[in-house]
């Protein structure tokens, strides 16, 4: 079988369906976000021809470059990387969704820029569930107060939570990260945050485990696009 983007995408969708079946869930419950960071615009065009419209990117600079090269395609850019506060202006102008909202200073900066643009977007709060120093995210104990403060910012609709699991081959350690995010979301809902429905968790190497732990969206890059073609 040829190793084309089409065959890789079909294989990922089959794996999602099988993971959902094992978990007793419907594949309709799990969205696929194609992570296109570091891949060239032509790869995104090919994915768009196969029905992909939402693309996950880590850097506003890369989004800006690709957006100009993909005129007419009208992709929906989803920011999944750590966002510096001084890049809030670009994010407010270009992205359809931010999944890496992880601190109040960023929320304030985004709110100001979004209001200036006259835009309202969906956001997910990134929570740190891994002990690794390299991982970003709000500490779980800080989430309740953060969500309360977010209610005063009307340019962003908080729709759920995002996390990155520990980088480990240990299934139990990885699944523990995903499980803790789901349990945290459930506690927040019990405290009145009913709109907190989405759980973005799981990437190419661990998304099946994430689905078993309740993911509503998985972020898949290399399993769809192949090996990274240039450095981030």
């Amino acid at each position: 079988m040829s190793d084309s983007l089409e065959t890789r995408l079909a294989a990922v969708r089959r794996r999602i369906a099988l993971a959902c079946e094992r978990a007793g869930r419907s594949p309709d419950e799990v969205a696929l976000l194609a992570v296109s960071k570091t891949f060239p615009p032509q790869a995104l065009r090919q994915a768009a021809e196969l029905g992909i419209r939402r693309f996950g990117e880590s850097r506003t600079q890369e989004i800006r470059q690709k957006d100009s090269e993909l005129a007419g395609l009208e992709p929906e850019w989803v920011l999944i990387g750590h966002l510096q506060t001084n890049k809030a202006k670009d994010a407010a102008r270009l992205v359809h969704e931010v999944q890496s909202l992880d601190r109040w200073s960023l929320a304030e900066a985004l709110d100001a820029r979004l209001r200036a643009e006259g835009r309202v977007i969906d956001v997910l709060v990134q929570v740190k569930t891994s002990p690794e120093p390299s991982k970003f995210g709000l500490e779980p104990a800080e989430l309740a107060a953060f969500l309360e403060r977010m209610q005063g910012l009307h340019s962003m609709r908080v729709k759920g939570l995002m996390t990155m699991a520990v980088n480990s081959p240990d299934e139990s350690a990885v699944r523990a990260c995903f499980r803790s995010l789901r349990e945290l979301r459930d506690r927040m809902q019990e405290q009145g945050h009913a709109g907190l429905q989405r759980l973005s968790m799981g990437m190419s190497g661990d998304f099946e485990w994430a689905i078993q732990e309740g993911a509503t969206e998985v972020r898949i890059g290399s399993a769809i696009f192949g090996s990274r073609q240039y450095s981030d």
Side-chain angles (χ1 to χ4, degrees), residues 61-134:
Q61 180 181 0
E62 190 170 345
I63 292 174
R64 186 170 61 250
Q65 292 170 344
K66 287 179 177 176
D67 195 61
S68 66
E69 295 183 51
L70 295 172
L73 191 62
E74 297 185 356
E76 295 186 4
W77 301 114
V78 179
L79 191 66
I80 60 173
H82 183 68
L83 179 61
Q84 296 177 349
T85 304
N86 62 3
K87 300 294 184 181
K89 181 178 181 179
D90 283 343
R93 182 171 56 86
L94 292 167
V95 306
H96 289 71
E97 179 175 286
V98 172
Q99 292 196 1
S100 51
L101 184 64
D102 63 355
R103 60 200 186 280
W104 182 246
S105 60
L106 176 59
E108 287 186 308
L110 270 175
D111 177 62
R113 294 299 185 178
L114 285 164
R115 285 189 287 107
E117 295 284 339
R119 299 186 66 213
V120 178
I121 65 171
D122 291 344
V123 297
L124 304 186
V125 178
Q126 183 172 358
V127 178
K128 184 175 170 61
T129 60
S130 164
E132 296 162 298
S134 60

Side-chain angles (χ1 to χ4, degrees), residues 45 115 203:
R45 286 194 180 277
R115 285 189 287 107
M203 300 185 292

